[in-house]
Short mmCIF file of all heavy atoms in Angstrom, two decimals:
data_model
loop_
_atom_site.label_atom_id
_atom_site.label_comp_id
_atom_site.label_asym_id
_atom_site.label_seq_id
_atom_site.Cartn_x
_atom_site.Cartn_y
_atom_site.Cartn_z
N LEU A 766 -3.45 28.76 -4.55
CA LEU A 766 -2.05 28.44 -4.82
C LEU A 766 -1.90 28.04 -6.28
O LEU A 766 -2.83 27.47 -6.85
CB LEU A 766 -1.63 27.24 -3.97
CG LEU A 766 -1.13 27.49 -2.57
CD1 LEU A 766 -0.89 26.14 -1.88
CD2 LEU A 766 0.18 28.27 -2.60
N PRO A 767 -0.74 28.31 -6.89
CA PRO A 767 -0.55 27.81 -8.27
C PRO A 767 -0.70 26.28 -8.26
O PRO A 767 -0.28 25.61 -7.31
CB PRO A 767 0.88 28.21 -8.57
CG PRO A 767 1.23 29.28 -7.62
CD PRO A 767 0.38 29.09 -6.42
N GLU A 768 -1.30 25.74 -9.32
CA GLU A 768 -1.61 24.31 -9.34
C GLU A 768 -0.38 23.44 -9.15
O GLU A 768 -0.40 22.43 -8.45
CB GLU A 768 -2.25 23.99 -10.69
CG GLU A 768 -3.37 22.98 -10.58
CD GLU A 768 -3.98 22.75 -11.93
OE1 GLU A 768 -4.50 23.74 -12.50
OE2 GLU A 768 -3.93 21.61 -12.42
N SER A 769 0.73 23.88 -9.79
CA SER A 769 1.95 23.06 -9.69
C SER A 769 2.46 22.99 -8.24
O SER A 769 3.00 21.98 -7.83
CB SER A 769 3.03 23.64 -10.60
OG SER A 769 3.15 25.01 -10.36
N VAL A 770 2.22 24.07 -7.51
CA VAL A 770 2.68 24.08 -6.11
C VAL A 770 1.82 23.10 -5.30
O VAL A 770 2.34 22.27 -4.52
CB VAL A 770 2.60 25.50 -5.51
CG1 VAL A 770 2.90 25.49 -4.04
CG2 VAL A 770 3.55 26.42 -6.26
N THR A 771 0.49 23.19 -5.46
CA THR A 771 -0.40 22.29 -4.74
C THR A 771 -0.04 20.83 -5.02
O THR A 771 -0.02 19.99 -4.12
CB THR A 771 -1.86 22.55 -5.17
OG1 THR A 771 -2.09 23.94 -5.19
CG2 THR A 771 -2.82 21.85 -4.29
N LYS A 772 0.28 20.58 -6.29
CA LYS A 772 0.62 19.20 -6.67
C LYS A 772 1.87 18.74 -5.93
O LYS A 772 1.91 17.62 -5.40
CB LYS A 772 0.88 19.19 -8.18
CG LYS A 772 0.34 17.95 -8.86
CD LYS A 772 0.38 18.19 -10.34
CE LYS A 772 0.42 16.90 -11.06
NZ LYS A 772 0.63 17.12 -12.49
N LEU A 773 2.86 19.59 -5.88
CA LEU A 773 4.11 19.22 -5.18
C LEU A 773 3.82 18.96 -3.69
O LEU A 773 4.34 17.99 -3.12
CB LEU A 773 5.12 20.35 -5.30
CG LEU A 773 5.99 20.37 -6.56
CD1 LEU A 773 6.80 21.62 -6.64
CD2 LEU A 773 6.92 19.14 -6.58
N LEU A 774 3.01 19.85 -3.10
CA LEU A 774 2.75 19.71 -1.67
C LEU A 774 2.01 18.39 -1.41
O LEU A 774 2.30 17.68 -0.44
CB LEU A 774 1.89 20.86 -1.16
CG LEU A 774 2.48 22.25 -1.26
CD1 LEU A 774 1.54 23.28 -0.68
CD2 LEU A 774 3.83 22.33 -0.56
N ASP A 775 1.08 18.07 -2.29
CA ASP A 775 0.31 16.83 -2.12
C ASP A 775 1.21 15.61 -2.28
O ASP A 775 1.08 14.62 -1.58
CB ASP A 775 -0.80 16.83 -3.17
CG ASP A 775 -1.94 15.93 -2.75
OD1 ASP A 775 -2.17 15.81 -1.55
OD2 ASP A 775 -2.59 15.30 -3.62
N GLN A 776 2.13 15.74 -3.21
CA GLN A 776 3.00 14.58 -3.51
C GLN A 776 3.99 14.31 -2.39
O GLN A 776 4.30 13.15 -2.12
CB GLN A 776 3.78 14.93 -4.80
CG GLN A 776 4.45 13.78 -5.45
CD GLN A 776 5.13 14.22 -6.75
OE1 GLN A 776 4.92 15.35 -7.24
NE2 GLN A 776 5.91 13.34 -7.31
N TYR A 777 4.52 15.36 -1.78
CA TYR A 777 5.56 15.15 -0.79
C TYR A 777 5.11 15.41 0.65
O TYR A 777 5.79 16.07 1.43
CB TYR A 777 6.79 16.00 -1.14
CG TYR A 777 7.39 15.57 -2.44
CD1 TYR A 777 7.36 16.37 -3.56
CD2 TYR A 777 7.93 14.30 -2.56
CE1 TYR A 777 7.86 15.94 -4.76
CE2 TYR A 777 8.46 13.86 -3.76
CZ TYR A 777 8.43 14.67 -4.85
OH TYR A 777 8.94 14.24 -6.05
N LYS A 778 3.93 14.87 0.93
CA LYS A 778 3.32 15.07 2.23
C LYS A 778 4.25 14.64 3.38
O LYS A 778 4.42 15.34 4.37
CB LYS A 778 2.07 14.19 2.24
CG LYS A 778 0.94 14.77 2.94
CD LYS A 778 -0.29 13.92 2.71
CE LYS A 778 -1.17 14.30 3.84
NZ LYS A 778 -2.26 13.59 4.13
N ASP A 779 4.82 13.46 3.24
CA ASP A 779 5.66 12.91 4.29
C ASP A 779 6.87 13.80 4.60
O ASP A 779 7.25 14.00 5.73
CB ASP A 779 6.18 11.51 3.96
CG ASP A 779 5.01 10.57 3.84
OD1 ASP A 779 3.92 10.92 4.30
OD2 ASP A 779 5.18 9.47 3.26
N LEU A 780 7.40 14.33 3.50
CA LEU A 780 8.57 15.19 3.64
C LEU A 780 8.16 16.49 4.35
O LEU A 780 8.89 17.00 5.22
CB LEU A 780 9.11 15.50 2.25
CG LEU A 780 10.59 15.78 2.11
CD1 LEU A 780 11.40 14.70 2.79
CD2 LEU A 780 10.99 15.90 0.66
N LEU A 781 6.99 17.01 3.99
CA LEU A 781 6.52 18.24 4.62
C LEU A 781 6.37 18.02 6.13
O LEU A 781 6.69 18.90 6.93
CB LEU A 781 5.15 18.67 4.05
CG LEU A 781 5.10 19.09 2.60
CD1 LEU A 781 3.72 19.57 2.26
CD2 LEU A 781 6.11 20.19 2.34
N TYR A 782 5.88 16.85 6.47
CA TYR A 782 5.69 16.52 7.88
C TYR A 782 7.01 16.64 8.63
O TYR A 782 7.10 17.21 9.71
CB TYR A 782 5.10 15.12 8.02
CG TYR A 782 4.73 14.79 9.42
CD1 TYR A 782 3.54 15.25 9.98
CD2 TYR A 782 5.56 13.99 10.21
CE1 TYR A 782 3.21 14.95 11.27
CE2 TYR A 782 5.23 13.68 11.52
CZ TYR A 782 4.05 14.17 12.04
OH TYR A 782 3.72 13.90 13.33
N LEU A 834 13.15 19.66 -2.73
CA LEU A 834 11.75 20.10 -2.72
C LEU A 834 11.68 21.61 -2.67
O LEU A 834 10.87 22.23 -3.36
CB LEU A 834 11.04 19.48 -1.51
CG LEU A 834 9.57 19.89 -1.35
CD1 LEU A 834 8.72 19.44 -2.52
CD2 LEU A 834 8.97 19.34 -0.06
N LEU A 838 9.83 23.86 -5.39
CA LEU A 838 8.73 24.76 -5.04
C LEU A 838 9.06 26.19 -5.53
O LEU A 838 8.22 26.90 -6.05
CB LEU A 838 8.53 24.78 -3.51
CG LEU A 838 7.68 23.67 -2.92
CD1 LEU A 838 7.68 23.74 -1.41
CD2 LEU A 838 6.23 23.78 -3.43
N PHE A 842 6.81 28.39 -7.99
CA PHE A 842 6.30 29.69 -7.61
C PHE A 842 6.73 30.76 -8.61
O PHE A 842 5.94 31.57 -9.06
CB PHE A 842 6.84 30.09 -6.22
CG PHE A 842 5.97 29.64 -5.09
CD1 PHE A 842 6.50 28.90 -4.03
CD2 PHE A 842 4.63 29.97 -5.05
CE1 PHE A 842 5.71 28.52 -2.97
CE2 PHE A 842 3.81 29.57 -3.99
CZ PHE A 842 4.36 28.84 -2.94
N ILE A 856 7.42 31.02 3.53
CA ILE A 856 6.49 29.99 4.05
C ILE A 856 6.63 29.89 5.57
O ILE A 856 7.73 29.72 6.10
CB ILE A 856 6.77 28.62 3.39
CG1 ILE A 856 6.51 28.72 1.90
CG2 ILE A 856 5.91 27.54 4.02
CD1 ILE A 856 6.83 27.46 1.13
N ASN A 858 4.15 27.89 7.45
CA ASN A 858 3.79 26.49 7.78
C ASN A 858 2.90 25.90 6.68
O ASN A 858 2.44 26.62 5.81
CB ASN A 858 3.06 26.42 9.11
CG ASN A 858 3.46 25.20 9.89
OD1 ASN A 858 3.21 24.10 9.44
ND2 ASN A 858 4.13 25.37 11.02
N PHE A 859 2.73 24.59 6.79
CA PHE A 859 1.81 23.89 5.87
C PHE A 859 0.64 23.35 6.71
O PHE A 859 0.82 22.99 7.89
CB PHE A 859 2.50 22.72 5.18
CG PHE A 859 3.76 23.11 4.44
CD1 PHE A 859 5.01 22.89 4.99
CD2 PHE A 859 3.66 23.70 3.21
CE1 PHE A 859 6.16 23.25 4.32
CE2 PHE A 859 4.83 24.08 2.52
CZ PHE A 859 6.07 23.86 3.09
N GLY A 860 -0.53 23.26 6.10
CA GLY A 860 -1.66 22.74 6.91
C GLY A 860 -2.66 22.06 6.04
O GLY A 860 -2.63 22.19 4.81
N CYS A 864 1.33 19.19 7.28
CA CYS A 864 1.86 18.59 6.06
C CYS A 864 0.85 18.63 4.92
O CYS A 864 0.98 17.92 3.95
CB CYS A 864 2.31 17.16 6.34
SG CYS A 864 0.98 16.12 6.98
N GLY A 865 -0.17 19.47 5.05
CA GLY A 865 -1.21 19.49 4.03
C GLY A 865 -0.89 20.39 2.86
O GLY A 865 0.13 21.10 2.85
N PRO A 866 -1.77 20.43 1.85
CA PRO A 866 -1.48 21.20 0.63
C PRO A 866 -1.93 22.66 0.74
O PRO A 866 -2.41 23.20 -0.26
CB PRO A 866 -2.30 20.44 -0.42
CG PRO A 866 -3.43 19.84 0.34
CD PRO A 866 -2.99 19.61 1.74
N ASN A 867 -1.80 23.28 1.87
CA ASN A 867 -2.14 24.69 2.04
C ASN A 867 -0.95 25.38 2.71
O ASN A 867 -0.25 24.76 3.50
CB ASN A 867 -3.37 24.87 2.93
CG ASN A 867 -4.55 24.12 2.36
OD1 ASN A 867 -5.13 24.49 1.34
ND2 ASN A 867 -4.91 23.02 3.01
N ILE A 868 -0.79 26.66 2.36
CA ILE A 868 0.38 27.36 2.89
C ILE A 868 -0.01 28.60 3.69
O ILE A 868 -0.95 29.29 3.33
CB ILE A 868 1.31 27.78 1.71
CG1 ILE A 868 1.95 26.53 1.11
CG2 ILE A 868 2.37 28.76 2.17
CD1 ILE A 868 2.89 26.81 -0.03
N LEU A 869 0.72 28.81 4.77
CA LEU A 869 0.60 30.05 5.55
C LEU A 869 1.83 30.88 5.21
O LEU A 869 2.94 30.37 5.32
CB LEU A 869 0.58 29.71 7.03
CG LEU A 869 0.38 30.88 7.99
CD1 LEU A 869 -0.98 31.49 7.85
CD2 LEU A 869 0.59 30.41 9.43
N TRP A 882 12.31 26.53 6.23
CA TRP A 882 13.46 25.73 5.77
C TRP A 882 14.64 25.90 6.71
O TRP A 882 15.59 25.13 6.68
CB TRP A 882 13.87 26.14 4.36
CG TRP A 882 12.72 26.21 3.43
CD1 TRP A 882 12.06 27.33 3.02
CD2 TRP A 882 12.03 25.12 2.83
NE1 TRP A 882 11.03 27.02 2.20
CE2 TRP A 882 10.99 25.65 2.04
CE3 TRP A 882 12.21 23.73 2.86
CZ2 TRP A 882 10.12 24.87 1.32
CZ3 TRP A 882 11.33 22.95 2.12
CH2 TRP A 882 10.32 23.50 1.36
N MET A 918 -7.74 22.65 0.37
CA MET A 918 -6.63 22.24 -0.49
C MET A 918 -6.29 23.37 -1.46
O MET A 918 -7.19 23.98 -2.02
CB MET A 918 -7.06 20.98 -1.27
CG MET A 918 -5.96 20.44 -2.12
SD MET A 918 -6.40 18.81 -2.70
CE MET A 918 -4.86 18.29 -3.39
N GLY A 919 -5.02 23.58 -1.64
CA GLY A 919 -4.57 24.58 -2.64
C GLY A 919 -4.88 26.02 -2.25
O GLY A 919 -5.10 26.85 -3.11
N VAL A 920 -4.87 26.31 -0.95
CA VAL A 920 -5.16 27.68 -0.51
C VAL A 920 -3.93 28.26 0.15
O VAL A 920 -3.25 27.57 0.92
CB VAL A 920 -6.33 27.69 0.51
CG1 VAL A 920 -6.71 29.12 0.87
CG2 VAL A 920 -7.52 26.92 -0.02
#
Side-chain angles (χ1 to χ4, degrees):
L766 273 175
E768 218 178 300
S769 50
V770 173
T771 313
K772 219 167 155 187
L773 275 172
L774 298 183
D775 202 32
Q776 195 177 351
Y777 295 112
K778 217 171 159 192
D779 297 344
L780 209 51
L781 294 185
Y782 186 79
L834 177 64
L838 276 175
F842 271 127
I856 297 177
N858 217 296
F859 304 101
C864 58
N867 303 289
I868 290 182
L869 182 67
W882 312 101
M918 183 167 191
V920 186

